[in-house]
Amino acid sequence: FLSAGFSVSLAGLSWFGGMLPGSSLSEEVSEGMDKNELLNISELRKNGMTVGASSVGLSTAMALGIFLTVDDTTSTIPSAANSGTLLASTSSKTARFEENAPPAITTTSSKTALTLASDLNSLDARMFGAFWCSHCYDQKQALGYEAMQTIPYIECDREGFNSKRDFCKEKEVPGYPTWEIGGKLYPGERSVEELREMVDEILSSKK
C-alpha cells in the first residue's frame, strides 16, 4: 500500500511539479530554436503527459486493489475461524448424545402390556438401565413403545444421554435392567407374564 502510494506521488510530481516541459515556451526561447527543436519539445511534452496519466491511473488501481484485498482477508478469516470452532463444538456434543441414547423402541404395545404399565405406574415403578444394555432394550421391546412412554426409564451409565448415575448409586442398583416396584428392587429382564405376576402379588399384599 505504501509502495503504491509512493508511485502515485511520483506520478503526481511528474504531472504537476514541472518535471515535464511546460505547456508553453517564452517568445525568447522560441525564437532561438529552429522548427525541428520546437517539434521535438512538443512531442516530449505529449509523451510525458501520457506517461504521467498512465502512472497515476495504474498506481491508483494497484493501491485500491491491495487495500481492498487486505481488508477483505483480515475481516473474513477471524469470523470464519470462530464460526468453524462453534460449529465443530456443537456438532461434536450433539453427536455424542445421539450416539449414547438408547435404541428406539420399534414394537407396538399389546392391551396386556398397556394394562400392566398402568398398574406399574400405580406402584411408582421405574426401570433402571444403560443405553448399551441389550437386555434393557429387549425388556422395552417386550412391553412396546406405548407402554414404555408411561413408565419412567432411568439411565445409569455415566456417558449415557440424560444420565442419572448418582441416583442409581443412591438406589444401589445391582445390574441392568432392574425394576423398582413398590419401593423394592427386582434385578433382571422379565417377561410381560412375570411382571404381571409380580405386580398382582404386590397389589394383593396392599389390600
Side-chain angles (χ1 to χ4, degrees):
F1 185 80
L2 291 176
S3 177
F6 184 63
S7 298
V8 173
S9 299
L10 288 178
L13 288 172
S14 297
W15 180 270
F16 298 108
M19 292 176 68
L20 298 175
S23 61
S24 63
L25 297 173
S26 66
E27 293 182 1
E28 295 179 359
V29 175
S30 299
E31 291 176 357
M33 296 180 178
D34 59 25
K35 185 176 180 179
N36 290 331
E37 289 176 333
L38 290 173
L39 289 174
N40 288 337
I41 291 175
S42 177
E43 186 67 23
L44 177 62
R45 182 174 66 247
K46 291 179 180 179
N47 292 337
M49 292 170 65
T50 301
V51 171
S54 299
S55 298
V56 171
L58 179 60
S59 300
T60 302
M62 291 175 63
L64 289 174
I66 294 172
F67 176 77
L68 293 175
T69 301
V70 172
D71 184 65
D72 289 344
T73 301
T74 54
S75 63
T76 302
I77 291 177
S79 62
N82 291 337
S83 176
T85 299
L86 178 60
L87 290 175
S89 175
T90 304
S91 177
S92 176
K93 185 176 181 180
T94 301
R96 182 176 69 84
F97 280 145
E98 289 180 352
E99 181 182 351
N100 294 346
I105 303 170
T106 60
T107 57
T108 301
S109 300
S110 64
K111 292 182 178 180
T112 301
L114 290 172
T115 302
L116 174 61
S118 177
D119 290 338
L120 284 168
N121 275 312
S122 69
L123 296 171
D124 297 322
R126 50 191 155 202
M127 176 184 163
F128 295 92
F131 68 92
W132 45 262
C133 170
S134 61
H135 290 289
C136 301
Y137 179 65
D138 291 341
Q139 181 71 90
K140 295 176 183 178
Q141 288 283 85
L143 288 166
Y145 177 82
E146 293 79 8
M148 286 305 302
Q149 292 303 299
T150 65
I151 299 172
Y153 168 75
I154 311 299
E155 175 64 51
C156 293
D157 191 279
R158 181 189 291 108
E159 298 298 324
F161 177 69
N162 198 25
S163 175
K164 297 292 188 295
R165 182 172 177 78
D166 290 341
F167 182 63
C168 296
K169 284 185 175 182
E170 179 184 330
K171 287 290 186 177
E172 299 181 350
V173 175
Y176 314 129
T178 291
W179 285 94
E180 181 183 17
I181 306 173
K184 185 178 178 179
L185 298 180
Y186 299 89
E189 179 185 351
R190 311 283 178 143
S191 66
V192 173
E193 292 73 22
E194 287 178 307
L195 286 171
R196 180 72 267 174
E197 291 176 6
M198 292 163 57
V199 167
D200 288 342
E201 185 178 340
I202 295 170
L203 289 174
S204 297
S205 64
K206 290 183 174 295
K207 293 181 179 179

